[in-house]
Amino acid sequence: MTALNARRRRILLTGGTSGIGLELIRRWGDRHEIVTTGRSLSSDLADILENRPSITHAVADQAKPMEAADRIAEALAARDWETLDHAVLNAGTGFAGDPASEDTARLLETLDTNLTSTMLVAQRLFPLLEKGRGTLTLIGSTAHRGAPGFASYAASKAGLNGFARSLREEWRGRIIVQVLHPGPTRTMMHQKAGLDTGRAGTFFTPPAAMAAMIDHAIARRVAGRRLSFLRYWSGESLLARGL
Ligand SMILES: NC(=O)c1ccc[n+]([C@@H]2O[C@H](COP(=O)([O-])OP(=O)(O)OC[C@H]3O[C@@H](n4cnc5c(N)ncnc54)[C@H](OP(=O)(O)O)[C@@H]3O)[C@@H](O)[C@H]2O)c1
């Protein structure tokens, strides 16, 4: 590990209560300072937080974008953080099914959580990232190109992709902006979205391996990357050298 990689970082990670976010905390928890969020503290995250004052959790419901941005700013102020090394905007949700029958409230929740809230939080964090010469990472999805049964989710991730690519140009030379697109990953997200993945789910990338590939891409500051099952099978998660 290089001297640069050994530096203790300040990281804001949204959606650290389960799935990929929780695995990122497992990777970083002993080496970095972390503020993470979710709508409530999960028991898995509570176990990690025990005896680790370097990790704090804040309740921020991104279905209410303006409130969520306020809660996140307050959580960083509570740690006296005026600079950030990394912001990883990972919180996300979705609905699986026929777009013709998607409940309006659910559709708005998907767009607010995945897109509007992420945009507001990015805007709010920019001054801290700029002071820290930091990196902003948006977690998209391979579904951003369109995905059967996931129309509003795909739309939210396509929006995120366009937003990230715009920010990368707008903020060039001030902070690094990247968008990473995981492929199907073995978390509870599909079940929460109402989709039974059946046997196909056993072929999804394990969340710890996805976290390793994300960590690797953040450390290498790649502009954008699809983190597919093929990439996983190529062994990238085993060779990953992250923050
Ligand atoms: N799993 C996949 O196949 C896959 C593929 C491509 C991209 N992704 C993306 O990867 C990211 C992580 O997903 P995951 O698979 O790890 O799913 P997950 O296990 O369901 O985790 C989702 C995280 O987002 C948080 N979240 C959801 N709704 C929220 C809200 N309204 N306000 C605040 N936080 C909220 C959850 O926290 P609370 O429940 O505590 O609020 C949780 O920490 C998402 O952006 C997802 O779109 C996943």
Coordinates of all heavy atoms in Angstrom, one line a residue, residues 109-191:
E109 N -41.1 8.8 -5.2 CA -40.1 8.4 -4.2 C -38.8 7.9 -4.8 O -37.7 8.3 -4.4 CB -40.7 7.2 -3.3 CG -39.7 6.8 -2.2 CD -40.2 5.6 -1.5 OE1 -41.4 5.3 -1.5 OE2 -39.4 4.9 -0.8
T110 N -38.9 7.2 -5.9 CA -37.7 6.7 -6.6 C -36.9 7.9 -7.2 O -35.7 8.0 -7.0 CB -38.1 5.7 -7.8 OG1 -38.8 4.6 -7.2 CG2 -36.9 5.3 -8.6
L111 N -37.6 8.8 -7.9 CA -36.9 9.9 -8.5 C -36.3 10.9 -7.4 O -35.2 11.3 -7.5 CB -37.8 10.7 -9.4 CG -38.2 9.9 -10.7 CD1 -39.3 10.7 -11.5 CD2 -37.0 9.6 -11.5
D112 N -37.1 11.1 -6.3 CA -36.6 12.0 -5.3 C -35.4 11.4 -4.6 O -34.4 12.1 -4.3 CB -37.7 12.3 -4.2 CG -38.7 13.3 -4.7 OD1 -38.4 14.1 -5.7 OD2 -39.8 13.4 -4.2
T113 N -35.5 10.1 -4.2 CA -34.4 9.5 -3.5 C -33.1 9.3 -4.3 O -32.0 9.7 -3.9 CB -34.8 8.0 -3.0 OG1 -36.0 8.2 -2.2 CG2 -33.7 7.4 -2.2
N114 N -33.3 8.8 -5.5 CA -32.1 8.5 -6.4 C -31.5 9.7 -7.1 O -30.3 9.8 -7.2 CB -32.5 7.5 -7.4 CG -32.9 6.1 -6.9 OD1 -33.0 6.0 -5.6 ND2 -33.2 5.2 -7.7
L115 N -32.4 10.6 -7.5 CA -31.9 11.7 -8.3 C -32.0 13.1 -7.7 O -30.9 13.7 -7.4 CB -32.7 11.7 -9.6 CG -32.3 12.8 -10.7 CD1 -30.9 12.6 -11.1 CD2 -33.2 12.7 -11.9
T116 N -33.2 13.6 -7.3 CA -33.3 14.9 -6.8 C -32.4 15.1 -5.5 O -31.7 16.1 -5.4 CB -34.8 15.3 -6.5 OG1 -35.6 14.9 -7.6 CG2 -34.9 16.8 -6.2
S117 N -32.6 14.2 -4.6 CA -31.9 14.3 -3.4 C -30.3 14.2 -3.6 O -29.6 15.0 -3.0 CB -32.3 13.1 -2.4 OG -31.8 13.3 -1.2
T118 N -29.9 13.3 -4.5 CA -28.5 13.1 -4.7 C -28.0 14.5 -5.3 O -26.8 14.9 -5.0 CB -28.3 11.9 -5.7 OG1 -28.8 10.8 -5.0 CG2 -26.8 11.7 -6.0
M119 N -28.8 15.1 -6.2 CA -28.3 16.3 -6.8 C -28.2 17.4 -5.7 O -27.2 18.2 -5.7 CB -29.3 16.8 -7.9 CG -29.3 15.9 -9.1 SD -30.6 16.3 -10.3 CE -30.1 17.8 -11.0
L120 N -29.2 17.5 -4.8 CA -29.1 18.6 -3.8 C -27.9 18.3 -2.8 O -27.2 19.3 -2.4 CB -30.4 18.6 -3.0 CG -31.7 19.1 -3.7 CD1 -32.8 19.2 -2.8 CD2 -31.4 20.4 -4.5
V121 N -27.7 17.1 -2.5 CA -26.6 16.8 -1.6 C -25.3 17.1 -2.3 O -24.4 17.7 -1.6 CB -26.7 15.3 -1.1 CG1 -25.4 14.9 -0.3 CG2 -27.9 15.0 -0.3
A122 N -25.1 16.7 -3.5 CA -23.9 17.0 -4.3 C -23.6 18.5 -4.3 O -22.5 19.0 -4.0 CB -24.0 16.5 -5.7
Q123 N -24.7 19.3 -4.5 CA -24.5 20.8 -4.5 C -24.1 21.3 -3.1 O -23.2 22.1 -3.0 CB -25.9 21.3 -4.8 CG -26.0 22.7 -5.3 CD -27.5 23.0 -5.6 OE1 -28.4 22.7 -4.8 NE2 -27.7 23.6 -6.7
R124 N -24.7 20.7 -2.1 CA -24.4 21.1 -0.7 C -22.9 20.7 -0.3 O -22.3 21.4 0.4 CB -25.4 20.5 0.2 CG -25.5 21.1 1.6 CD -26.2 22.4 1.5 NE -27.6 22.4 1.5 CZ -28.4 22.3 2.6 NH1 -27.8 22.2 3.8 NH2 -29.7 22.3 2.5
L125 N -22.5 19.6 -0.9 CA -21.1 19.1 -0.4 C -20.0 19.7 -1.2 O -18.8 19.7 -0.8 CB -21.1 17.6 -0.6 CG -22.0 16.8 0.3 CD1 -21.8 15.3 0.0 CD2 -21.8 17.1 1.7
F126 N -20.3 20.4 -2.4 CA -19.3 20.9 -3.2 C -18.3 21.7 -2.5 O -17.1 21.5 -2.7 CB -19.9 21.6 -4.4 CG -18.9 22.3 -5.3 CD1 -18.0 21.5 -6.0 CD2 -18.8 23.7 -5.4 CE1 -17.0 22.1 -6.8 CE2 -17.8 24.3 -6.1 CZ -16.9 23.5 -6.9
P127 N -18.7 22.7 -1.7 CA -17.7 23.6 -1.0 C -16.7 22.8 -0.1 O -15.5 23.1 -0.1 CB -18.5 24.6 -0.2 CG -19.9 24.5 -0.7 CD -20.0 23.2 -1.3
L128 N -17.3 21.8 0.5 CA -16.4 20.9 1.4 C -15.4 20.1 0.6 O -14.3 19.9 1.0 CB -17.2 20.0 2.3 CG -18.0 20.7 3.5 CD1 -19.3 21.3 3.0 CD2 -18.3 19.6 4.6
L129 N -15.9 19.5 -0.5 CA -15.1 18.7 -1.4 C -14.0 19.6 -2.0 O -12.9 19.2 -2.2 CB -15.9 18.0 -2.4 CG -16.8 16.9 -1.9 CD1 -17.8 16.5 -3.0 CD2 -15.9 15.7 -1.6
E130 N -14.4 20.8 -2.4 CA -13.4 21.7 -3.0 C -12.3 22.0 -2.1 O -11.1 22.0 -2.4 CB -14.1 23.0 -3.5 CG -13.2 23.8 -4.4 CD -13.8 25.0 -5.0 OE1 -14.7 25.6 -4.4 OE2 -13.4 25.5 -6.1
K131 N -12.7 22.3 -0.8 CA -11.6 22.6 0.2 C -10.7 21.4 0.4 O -9.5 21.6 0.6 CB -12.3 23.0 1.5 CG -12.6 24.5 1.6 CD -13.1 24.8 3.0 CE -14.2 25.7 3.0 NZ -15.0 25.8 4.3
G132 N -11.3 20.2 0.3 CA -10.5 19.0 0.6 C -9.9 18.4 -0.7 O -9.3 17.4 -0.7
R133 N -10.1 19.1 -1.8 CA -9.6 18.6 -3.1 C -10.1 17.2 -3.3 O -9.3 16.3 -3.6 CB -8.1 18.8 -3.3 CG -7.6 20.2 -3.2 CD -6.2 20.3 -3.5 NE -5.9 20.1 -4.9 CZ -6.1 21.0 -5.9 NH1 -6.6 22.1 -5.6 NH2 -5.8 20.6 -7.1
G134 N -11.4 17.0 -3.1 CA -11.9 15.7 -2.9 C -12.5 15.1 -4.1 O -12.5 15.6 -5.2
T135 N -13.2 13.9 -3.9 CA -13.8 13.1 -5.0 C -15.3 12.9 -4.7 O -15.6 12.5 -3.6 CB -13.1 11.8 -5.1 OG1 -11.7 12.0 -5.3 CG2 -13.7 10.9 -6.2
L136 N -16.1 13.2 -5.7 CA -17.5 13.0 -5.6 C -17.9 11.7 -6.4 O -17.6 11.7 -7.6 CB -18.3 14.2 -6.1 CG -19.8 14.0 -6.3 CD1 -20.5 13.8 -4.9 CD2 -20.4 15.2 -7.0
T137 N -18.4 10.7 -5.8 CA -18.7 9.5 -6.5 C -20.3 9.3 -6.5 O -20.9 9.2 -5.4 CB -18.1 8.3 -5.8 OG1 -16.7 8.5 -5.7 CG2 -18.3 7.0 -6.6
L138 N -20.9 9.2 -7.6 CA -22.3 8.9 -7.7 C -22.5 7.4 -8.1 O -21.8 6.9 -9.1 CB -23.0 9.8 -8.7 CG -22.8 11.3 -8.5 CD1 -23.7 12.0 -9.5 CD2 -23.1 11.7 -7.1
I139 N -23.3 6.7 -7.3 CA -23.5 5.3 -7.6 C -24.8 5.2 -8.5 O -25.9 5.5 -8.1 CB -23.7 4.4 -6.4 CG1 -22.4 4.5 -5.5 CG2 -24.0 3.0 -6.7 CD1 -21.1 4.0 -6.1
G140 N -24.5 4.9 -9.8 CA -25.6 4.8 -10.8 C -26.0 3.3 -10.9 O -26.2 2.6 -9.8
S141 N -26.2 2.8 -12.1 CA -26.6 1.4 -12.3 C -26.4 1.2 -13.8 O -26.6 2.0 -14.6 CB -28.0 1.2 -11.9 OG -28.5 0.0 -12.4
T142 N -26.1 -0.1 -14.1 CA -26.1 -0.5 -15.5 C -27.5 -0.3 -16.1 O -27.7 -0.2 -17.3 CB -25.6 -2.0 -15.7 OG1 -26.4 -2.8 -14.8 CG2 -24.1 -2.1 -15.4
A143 N -28.5 -0.2 -15.3 CA -29.9 0.0 -15.7 C -30.1 1.4 -16.3 O -31.2 1.7 -16.9 CB -30.9 -0.2 -14.6
H144 N -29.1 2.3 -16.2 CA -29.3 3.6 -16.7 C -29.6 3.7 -18.2 O -30.1 4.7 -18.7 CB -28.1 4.5 -16.3 CG -26.9 4.4 -17.2 ND1 -26.0 3.4 -16.9 CD2 -26.4 5.1 -18.2 CE1 -25.0 3.5 -17.8 NE2 -25.3 4.5 -18.6
R145 N -29.2 2.6 -18.9 CA -29.5 2.6 -20.4 C -30.9 2.0 -20.7 O -31.2 1.9 -21.8 CB -28.4 1.7 -21.0 CG -27.0 2.2 -20.8 CD -26.0 1.2 -21.2 NE -26.0 1.0 -22.7 CZ -24.9 1.3 -23.4 NH1 -23.8 1.7 -22.9 NH2 -25.0 1.1 -24.7
G146 N -31.6 1.7 -19.6 CA -33.0 1.2 -19.8 C -33.0 -0.2 -19.3 O -32.0 -1.0 -19.6
A147 N -34.0 -0.6 -18.6 CA -34.1 -1.9 -18.0 C -35.5 -2.4 -17.9 O -36.3 -1.7 -17.3 CB -33.4 -2.0 -16.6
P148 N -35.8 -3.6 -18.6 CA -37.2 -4.0 -18.5 C -37.7 -4.2 -17.1 O -36.9 -4.7 -16.2 CB -37.2 -5.4 -19.2 CG -35.8 -5.5 -19.8 CD -34.9 -4.5 -19.2
G149 N -38.9 -3.7 -16.8 CA -39.4 -3.9 -15.4 C -38.9 -2.9 -14.4 O -39.3 -2.9 -13.2
F150 N -38.0 -2.0 -14.8 CA -37.5 -1.0 -13.9 C -37.4 0.4 -14.5 O -36.4 1.1 -14.5 CB -36.0 -1.4 -13.5 CG -35.9 -2.3 -12.3 CD1 -35.7 -3.7 -12.5 CD2 -36.1 -1.9 -11.1 CE1 -35.6 -4.6 -11.4 CE2 -36.0 -2.7 -10.0 CZ -35.7 -4.1 -10.1
A151 N -38.6 0.8 -15.1 CA -38.6 2.0 -15.9 C -38.2 3.3 -15.1 O -37.3 4.1 -15.5 CB -39.9 2.2 -16.6
S152 N -38.9 3.5 -14.0 CA -38.6 4.8 -13.2 C -37.2 4.7 -12.6 O -36.5 5.7 -12.5 CB -39.7 5.0 -12.2 OG -39.7 3.9 -11.3
Y153 N -36.8 3.5 -12.2 CA -35.5 3.3 -11.6 C -34.4 3.6 -12.7 O -33.5 4.4 -12.5 CB -35.3 1.9 -11.1 CG -33.9 1.5 -10.6 CD1 -33.5 2.0 -9.3 CD2 -33.1 0.8 -11.3 CE1 -32.3 1.6 -8.8 CE2 -31.8 0.4 -10.9 CZ -31.4 0.8 -9.6 OH -30.2 0.5 -9.1
A154 N -34.6 3.1 -13.9 CA -33.7 3.3 -15.0 C -33.7 4.8 -15.3 O -32.6 5.4 -15.6 CB -34.1 2.5 -16.2
A155 N -34.8 5.5 -15.3 CA -34.9 6.9 -15.6 C -34.1 7.7 -14.5 O -33.3 8.6 -14.9 CB -36.3 7.4 -15.6
S156 N -34.2 7.3 -13.3 CA -33.5 8.0 -12.2 C -32.0 7.9 -12.4 O -31.2 8.8 -12.2 CB -33.9 7.6 -10.8 OG -33.5 6.3 -10.6
K157 N -31.6 6.7 -12.8 CA -30.1 6.4 -12.9 C -29.6 7.1 -14.2 O -28.4 7.5 -14.3 CB -29.9 4.9 -12.9 CG -30.2 4.3 -11.5 CD -29.3 4.8 -10.4 CE -29.5 4.0 -9.1 NZ -28.6 4.5 -8.0
A158 N -30.4 7.2 -15.2 CA -30.0 7.9 -16.5 C -29.8 9.3 -16.1 O -28.8 10.0 -16.6 CB -31.0 7.7 -17.6
G159 N -30.7 9.9 -15.3 CA -30.6 11.3 -14.9 C -29.3 11.5 -14.1 O -28.6 12.5 -14.3
L160 N -29.0 10.6 -13.3 CA -27.8 10.7 -12.4 C -26.5 10.6 -13.3 O -25.6 11.3 -13.1 CB -27.8 9.5 -11.5 CG -27.2 9.6 -10.1 CD1 -27.8 10.8 -9.4 CD2 -27.4 8.3 -9.3
N161 N -26.6 9.8 -14.3 CA -25.5 9.6 -15.2 C -25.2 11.0 -16.0 O -24.1 11.5 -16.0 CB -25.7 8.5 -16.3 CG -24.5 8.2 -17.1 OD1 -23.4 8.1 -16.7 ND2 -24.8 8.2 -18.5
G162 N -26.3 11.6 -16.5 CA -26.1 12.9 -17.1 C -25.7 14.0 -16.2 O -24.8 14.8 -16.5
F163 N -26.2 13.9 -15.0 CA -25.8 14.9 -14.0 C -24.3 14.8 -13.7 O -23.5 15.8 -13.7 CB -26.6 14.7 -12.7 CG -26.3 15.6 -11.6 CD1 -26.5 17.0 -11.7 CD2 -25.9 15.1 -10.4 CE1 -26.3 17.9 -10.7 CE2 -25.7 16.0 -9.3 CZ -25.8 17.4 -9.4
A164 N -23.8 13.6 -13.4 CA -22.4 13.3 -13.1 C -21.5 13.8 -14.2 O -20.5 14.4 -14.0 CB -22.2 11.8 -12.8
R165 N -21.9 13.4 -15.5 CA -21.0 13.8 -16.6 C -21.0 15.3 -16.7 O -19.9 15.9 -17.1 CB -21.6 13.1 -17.9 CG -21.3 11.6 -17.8 CD -22.1 10.9 -18.9 NE -21.6 11.3 -20.2 CZ -20.8 10.6 -21.0 NH1 -20.5 9.4 -20.6 NH2 -20.5 11.0 -22.2
S166 N -22.1 16.0 -16.4 CA -22.1 17.5 -16.5 C -21.2 18.0 -15.4 O -20.3 18.9 -15.6 CB -23.5 18.0 -16.3 OG -24.3 17.5 -17.3
L167 N -21.3 17.5 -14.2 CA -20.5 18.0 -13.1 C -19.1 17.8 -13.3 O -18.2 18.6 -12.9 CB -20.9 17.3 -11.8 CG -22.3 17.5 -11.2 CD1 -22.4 16.9 -9.8 CD2 -22.6 19.0 -11.1
R168 N -18.7 16.7 -13.9 CA -17.3 16.4 -14.2 C -16.7 17.5 -15.0 O -15.5 17.9 -14.7 CB -17.2 15.0 -14.9 CG -15.8 14.6 -15.0 CD -15.6 13.2 -15.4 NE -14.2 12.8 -15.6 CZ -13.4 12.5 -14.7 NH1 -13.8 12.3 -13.4 NH2 -12.1 12.2 -14.9
E169 N -17.4 18.0 -16.0 CA -16.9 19.1 -16.8 C -17.0 20.4 -16.0 O -16.0 21.2 -15.9 CB -17.7 19.2 -18.1 CG -17.5 18.1 -19.0 CD -16.0 17.7 -19.2 OE1 -15.2 18.6 -19.4 OE2 -15.7 16.5 -19.1
E170 N -18.1 20.7 -15.4 CA -18.3 22.0 -14.7 C -17.3 22.2 -13.5 O -16.8 23.3 -13.3 CB -19.7 22.1 -14.0 CG -20.9 22.0 -15.0 CD -21.1 23.3 -15.8 OE1 -20.5 24.3 -15.4 OE2 -21.9 23.2 -16.7
W171 N -17.0 21.1 -12.8 CA -16.1 21.2 -11.6 C -14.7 20.7 -11.9 O -13.9 20.5 -11.0 CB -16.8 20.4 -10.5 CG -18.1 21.1 -10.0 CD1 -18.5 22.4 -10.3 CD2 -19.1 20.5 -9.2 NE1 -19.7 22.6 -9.7 CE2 -20.1 21.5 -9.0 CE3 -19.3 19.3 -8.5 CZ2 -21.2 21.3 -8.2 CZ3 -20.4 19.1 -7.8 CH2 -21.4 20.1 -7.6
R172 N -14.4 20.5 -13.2 CA -13.0 20.0 -13.5 C -12.0 20.9 -13.0 O -12.1 22.2 -13.0 CB -12.9 20.0 -15.1 CG -11.6 19.3 -15.5 CD -11.6 19.2 -17.1 NE -12.5 18.3 -17.6 CZ -12.3 16.9 -17.6 NH1 -11.2 16.4 -17.1 NH2 -13.2 16.1 -18.1
G173 N -10.9 20.4 -12.4 CA -9.9 21.2 -11.8 C -10.2 21.6 -10.4 O -9.3 22.2 -9.7
R174 N -11.4 21.4 -9.9 CA -11.8 21.8 -8.6 C -12.0 20.5 -7.7 O -11.5 20.4 -6.6 CB -13.0 22.7 -8.6 CG -12.7 23.9 -9.5 CD -13.9 24.7 -9.8 NE -14.3 25.6 -8.7 CZ -15.4 26.3 -8.7 NH1 -16.3 26.3 -9.7 NH2 -15.7 27.0 -7.6
I175 N -12.8 19.6 -8.2 CA -13.0 18.3 -7.6 C -13.1 17.3 -8.7 O -13.4 17.6 -9.8 CB -14.2 18.2 -6.6 CG1 -15.5 18.2 -7.5 CG2 -14.2 19.3 -5.6 CD1 -16.8 17.9 -6.6
I176 N -12.8 16.0 -8.3 CA -13.0 14.9 -9.2 C -14.5 14.4 -9.1 O -15.0 14.2 -8.0 CB -12.1 13.7 -8.8 CG1 -10.6 14.1 -8.7 CG2 -12.3 12.5 -9.8 CD1 -9.8 14.0 -9.9
V177 N -15.1 14.2 -10.2 CA -16.5 13.6 -10.2 C -16.5 12.3 -11.0 O -15.9 12.3 -12.1 CB -17.5 14.6 -10.8 CG1 -18.9 14.0 -10.8 CG2 -17.5 16.0 -10.1
Q178 N -17.1 11.3 -10.4 CA -17.1 10.0 -11.2 C -18.5 9.4 -11.0 O -19.2 9.7 -10.0 CB -16.0 9.1 -10.7 CG -16.1 8.8 -9.2 CD -15.0 7.8 -8.7 OE1 -15.0 7.4 -7.6 NE2 -14.1 7.4 -9.6
V179 N -18.9 8.6 -11.9 CA -20.2 7.9 -11.8 C -19.9 6.4 -12.1 O -19.3 6.1 -13.1 CB -21.3 8.4 -12.8 CG1 -20.9 8.4 -14.2 CG2 -22.6 7.6 -12.5
L180 N -20.3 5.5 -11.1 CA -20.0 4.1 -11.2 C -21.3 3.4 -11.4 O -22.3 3.7 -10.6 CB -19.2 3.6 -10.0 CG -17.9 4.4 -9.7 CD1 -17.3 3.9 -8.4 CD2 -16.9 4.3 -10.9
H181 N -21.3 2.4 -12.3 CA -22.6 1.7 -12.6 C -22.5 0.2 -12.2 O -22.0 -0.6 -13.0 CB -22.9 1.8 -14.1 CG -23.1 3.2 -14.5 ND1 -24.1 4.1 -14.1 CD2 -22.3 4.0 -15.4 CE1 -24.0 5.2 -14.7 NE2 -22.9 5.2 -15.5
P182 N -22.9 -0.1 -11.0 CA -22.9 -1.5 -10.7 C -23.9 -2.3 -11.5 O -25.0 -1.8 -11.9 CB -23.4 -1.6 -9.2 CG -23.2 -0.2 -8.7 CD -23.3 0.7 -9.9
G183 N -23.6 -3.6 -11.8 CA -24.5 -4.5 -12.4 C -25.3 -5.2 -11.3 O -25.0 -4.9 -10.1
P184 N -26.1 -6.2 -11.6 CA -26.9 -6.8 -10.6 C -26.1 -7.4 -9.4 O -25.1 -8.1 -9.6 CB -27.6 -8.0 -11.4 CG -27.7 -7.4 -12.8 CD -26.4 -6.6 -13.0
T185 N -26.4 -7.0 -8.2 CA -25.7 -7.3 -7.0 C -26.6 -8.0 -6.0 O -27.8 -7.6 -5.9 CB -25.1 -6.0 -6.4 OG1 -24.4 -5.3 -7.5 CG2 -24.1 -6.3 -5.3
R186 N -26.1 -8.9 -5.3 CA -26.9 -9.7 -4.4 C -27.2 -9.0 -3.1 O -26.7 -9.4 -2.0 CB -26.1 -11.1 -4.1 CG -27.0 -12.3 -4.0 CD -26.2 -13.5 -3.8 NE -25.3 -13.8 -4.8 CZ -24.1 -14.4 -4.6 NH1 -23.7 -14.8 -3.3 NH2 -23.3 -14.7 -5.6
T187 N -28.0 -8.0 -3.2 CA -28.5 -7.3 -1.9 C -30.0 -7.5 -1.9 O -30.6 -8.1 -2.7 CB -28.2 -5.8 -2.0 OG1 -29.0 -5.2 -3.0 CG2 -26.7 -5.5 -2.3
M188 N -30.6 -6.8 -0.9 CA -32.0 -6.9 -0.7 C -32.8 -5.9 -1.6 O -34.0 -5.9 -1.5 CB -32.4 -6.7 0.8 CG -31.9 -7.7 1.7 SD -32.5 -9.4 1.3 CE -34.2 -9.2 1.9
M189 N -32.1 -5.1 -2.4 CA -32.7 -4.1 -3.2 C -33.9 -4.6 -4.0 O -34.9 -4.0 -4.1 CB -31.7 -3.3 -4.0 CG -32.3 -2.1 -4.6 SD -31.2 -1.3 -5.9 CE -31.5 -2.3 -7.3
H190 N -33.6 -5.7 -4.7 CA -34.6 -6.3 -5.6 C -35.9 -6.7 -4.9 O -37.0 -6.4 -5.3 CB -34.1 -7.4 -6.5 CG -32.9 -7.0 -7.2 ND1 -31.6 -7.2 -6.7 CD2 -32.7 -6.5 -8.4 CE1 -30.7 -6.8 -7.6 NE2 -31.3 -6.3 -8.6
Q191 N -35.7 -7.4 -3.8 CA -36.8 -7.8 -2.9 C -37.6 -6.6 -2.4 O -38.8 -6.6 -2.5 CB -36.3 -8.6 -1.8 CG -37.4 -9.4 -1.1 CD -36.7 -10.3 0.0 OE1 -35.7 -11.0 -0.3 NE2 -37.4 -10.4 1.2

